């Protein structure tokens, strides 16, 4: 088991390096976030032993449990799932990053609840780039107003944008949706916001996301295997 997680991380990392090179980008310009949702703390510990430090979780309870269990390890926890207002406190107290900011109200709560003993919570605004009603994220035309409001909150540091494109094999559709996010990022940079993070790309579309400018890929299945949901 240890071997297989370590080997999977090595092979995903090799894939990232190859995609960076193919896109003419510097080696090491894309970070790997290991998405450990549904997997036990022991799997996170194995990935940690293989050198992985940044982990992504989608469910507040799971984040809380694993962060407590693995408190002795120097892990950077990223919350990447939908966040309701009654759960913001746990995330504000536990996570280092939140990728899924889509409303100002949630951002305000996170800012207020961030303990002053901790550095600001690092956040990305999630954009709905596919236009699908079922998808989380703010609409691209709402991003500018939200970004400026989030950037002004004292407990948060706005780092960039995140998206989950449509689940499709169509390379052109994917490229257009990734490009939409990069375009919004460029606009915000021109406004003077310093954004260094483009969170896009998962197990199946990592290379396309890197070609489109991703700086952080969120990879679960290719590291930990297929997920089994118990509920
Ligand atoms: C589950 C999840 C991932 C990882 O997806 P894989 O296809 O397993 O790599 C990435 N980002 C978000 C927001 C997720 O919920």
């Amino acid at each position: 088991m240890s071997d297989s997680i370590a080997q999977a991380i090595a092979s995903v990392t090799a894939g990232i390096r190859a995609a960076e090179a193919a896109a003419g980008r510097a080696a090491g310009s894309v970070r790997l976030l290991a998405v450990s949702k549904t997997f036990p703390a022991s799997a996170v510990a194995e990935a940690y032993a293989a050198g992985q430090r940044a982990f992504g979780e989608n469910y507040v309870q799971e984040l809380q449990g694993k962060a407590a269990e693995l408190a002795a390890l120097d892990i950077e926890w990223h919350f990447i799932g939908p966040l309701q207002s009654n759960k913001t406190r746990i995330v504000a107290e536990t996570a280092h990053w939140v990728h899924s900011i889509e409303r100002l109200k949630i951002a305000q709560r996170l800012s207020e609840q961030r303990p002053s003993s901790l550095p600001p919570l690092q956040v990305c605004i999630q954009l709905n780039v596919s236009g699908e009603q079922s998808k989380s994220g703010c609409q691209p035309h709402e991003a500018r107003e939200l970004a400026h409001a989030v950037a002004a909150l004292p407990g948060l540091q706005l780092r960039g944008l995140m998206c989950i494109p449509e689940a499709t094999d169509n390379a052109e559709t994917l490229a257009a949706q990734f490009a939409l996010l990069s375009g919004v990022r460029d606009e915000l940079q021109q406004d003077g916001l310093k954004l260094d993070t483009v969170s896009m790309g998962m197990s199946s579309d990592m290379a396309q996301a890197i070609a489109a400018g991703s700086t952080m890929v969120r990879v679960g299945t290719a590291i930990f295997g297929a997920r089994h949901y118990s509920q």
Side-chain angles (χ1 to χ4, degrees):
M1 181 85 175
S2 316
D3 274 3
S4 68
I5 288 179
Q7 278 164 10
I9 290 174
S11 114
V12 168
T13 302
I16 293 171
R17 294 290 98 84
E20 288 168 343
R25 299 183 51 194
S29 52
V30 180
R31 281 186 81 193
L32 172 60
L33 179 65
V35 177
S36 43
K37 65 182 180 206
T38 79
F39 290 94
S42 58
V44 174
E46 286 181 26
Y48 185 91
Q52 180 65 29
R53 291 294 176 270
F55 292 88
E57 290 288 339
N58 280 58
Y59 308 101
V60 175
Q61 246 77 24
E62 260 197 273
L63 168 70
Q64 190 178 27
K66 288 178 218 178
E69 207 173 322
L70 301 171
L73 304 185
D74 178 29
I75 289 179
E76 186 180 273
W77 291 107
H78 293 237
F79 188 77
I80 62 175
L83 185 52
Q84 285 152 8
S85 44
N86 61 346
K87 300 275 177 64
T88 51
R89 184 174 296 279
I90 297 168
V91 172
E93 292 175 352
T94 313
H96 302 84
W97 283 69
V98 174
H99 292 226
S100 44
I101 301 288
E102 55 179 350
R103 293 190 283 144
L104 184 57
K105 186 186 164 206
I106 297 290
Q108 285 167 332
R109 288 178 67 90
L110 288 170
S111 178
E112 281 161 19
Q113 294 167 344
R114 182 70 170 170
S116 56
S117 57
L118 296 177
L121 190 57
Q122 309 296 296
V123 302
C124 293
I125 290 175
Q126 182 174 355
L127 249 61
N128 180 344
V129 293
S130 70
E132 296 165 288
Q133 296 247 322
S134 60
K135 279 281 166 67
S136 304
C138 79
Q139 299 307 315
H141 69 87
E142 300 167 338
R144 191 175 198 172
E145 195 181 337
L146 181 57
H148 283 280
V150 168
L153 295 172
L156 307 184
Q157 183 174 0
L158 179 62
R159 296 292 294 270
L161 303 176
M162 179 271 235
C163 71
I164 305 172
E166 203 175 316
T168 173
D169 293 334
N170 186 306
E172 282 170 29
T173 304
L174 273 180
Q177 294 184 5
F178 288 141
L180 175 56
L181 183 135
S182 296
V184 171
R185 209 269 301 238
D186 293 346
E187 272 176 37
L188 297 176
Q189 302 254 60
Q190 280 160 21
D191 279 358
L193 293 176
K194 290 191 181 59
L195 305 181
D196 61 8
T197 302
V198 175
S199 167
M200 60 189 189
M202 318 201 296
S203 295
S204 60
D205 57 14
M206 198 178 80
Q208 289 102 313
I210 291 171
S214 170
T215 67
M216 201 184 302
V217 290
R218 310 177 308 267
V219 178
T221 309
I223 294 174
F224 296 105
R227 286 180 289 273
H228 303 285
Y229 291 92
S230 50
Q231 285 101 336

